[in-house]
Amino acid sequence: WNVLRCLKNGTFIRKRWEFRVNTSKNENEKGAGASSFDATTELPLFTLKRPLIKGKRRNLNLFEPRWLKMIDSVTNEGYTSSSPASSPQFGCVRCTNKFYSAASVDGLEGRYADIIFERKGALASIVELKEGKRPTSGDRKIGVTIEGGDEFTIDDESTSISVTKDGYMIANKWDSNDLSKPIQSDDKWVKVVVVVGLLHGNGVVKLL
């Protein structure tokens, strides 16, 4: 019931799509055919079970092809390490419900995804990235240390979320919730005073 209510009032977003999973080792190598995006207007999204907190670090162990492609796109195929202030970023959103099932995508093995996640998230800065191999298969994996940054909110329009050919989501319309930024407005500030009890009214009016 809570999930349905949050979907109705726009707190949560539901997204459904299909993507390939049987990519070859060559396709998963660093920078091999990763999707491109406009970092000034688009924000790749990674789903988490727990919210990412500003200033807190978290370690991610990534091996799914879609997440490898996302990191390659974010790091522009040449990143090794950086400070949080200038490092590549992507968005993290808390996923409340998710469902995956087998699907055929262009005649190849794929997945059908049905995801419900919060519209508010946090920027994640990459502070360390380590390439590796999975012990049994030898497939590529990445160890990523991220640090939480400013919060953001995805617009509630139907076109606010798209999905890349690699299978991860991108926010096309989103706003930063950085409260440290000054508010830009041409309107004059209006003072609003709430007075409880008439006995205090005269004293408050004199201060205005």
Side-chain angles (χ1 to χ4, degrees):
W1 168 250
N2 287 335
V3 172
L4 293 177
R5 182 174 59 185
C6 289
L7 284 171
K8 187 175 181 179
N9 65 25
T11 306
F12 289 175
I13 296 176
R14 184 179 187 181
K15 186 69 176 178
R16 289 167 282 190
W17 74 96
E18 294 180 343
F19 60 95
R20 286 176 52 195
V21 296
N22 67 337
T23 54
S24 66
K25 287 187 177 182
N26 289 336
E27 288 181 290
N28 290 334
E29 288 303 313
K30 185 176 181 180
S35 300
S36 60
F37 66 94
D38 186 351
T40 61
T41 59
E42 297 177 321
L43 182 67
L45 298 177
F46 184 79
T47 57
L48 294 170
K49 293 182 179 179
R50 295 179 291 108
L52 182 64
I53 307 300
K54 185 172 183 177
K56 299 294 184 180
R57 294 192 176 188
R58 191 176 299 186
N59 296 318
L60 306 177
N61 184 28
L62 307 179
F63 52 85
E64 287 189 49
R66 56 177 171 154
W67 301 132
L68 298 179
K69 297 287 188 181
M70 187 195 77
I71 294 298
D72 286 344
S73 296
V74 170
T75 57
N76 198 24
E77 304 180 15
Y79 171 79
T80 54
S81 64
S82 181
S83 65
S86 59
S87 63
Q89 292 183 325
F90 55 91
C92 287
V93 290
R94 188 176 77 90
C95 180
T96 60
N97 299 75
K98 59 183 177 180
F99 170 79
Y100 295 102
S101 63
S104 176
V105 180
D106 298 328
L108 300 172
E109 181 185 359
R111 292 288 183 272
Y112 166 79
D114 188 345
I115 307 295
I116 298 175
F117 56 95
E118 293 180 345
R119 202 154 62 89
K120 291 186 177 181
L123 295 176
S125 297
I126 299 176
V127 296
E128 187 175 7
L129 188 153
K130 295 181 179 179
E131 291 280 346
K133 299 288 185 181
R134 302 187 72 181
T136 302
S137 64
D139 293 340
R140 181 190 178 202
K141 69 173 183 177
I142 300 177
V144 185
T145 300
I146 59 174
E147 182 172 313
D150 293 330
E151 292 184 348
F152 64 87
T153 301
I154 302 170
D155 290 359
D156 56 3
E157 299 179 20
S158 59
T159 57
S160 297
I161 300 290
S162 62
V163 178
T164 69
K165 65 180 180 63
D166 297 317
Y168 60 88
M169 296 183 294
I170 283 186
N172 304 300
K173 297 180 180 180
W174 57 282
D175 295 308
S176 173
N177 299 346
D178 184 4
L179 298 179
S180 65
K181 295 180 180 179
I183 298 176
Q184 302 294 332
S185 176
D186 295 330
D187 298 331
K188 295 182 179 180
W189 288 99
V190 178
K191 293 182 178 180
V192 178
V193 179
V194 178
V195 180
V196 180
L198 294 178
L199 292 177
H200 304 286
N202 292 334
V204 172
V205 170
K206 291 180 180 179
L207 296 174
L208 297 178

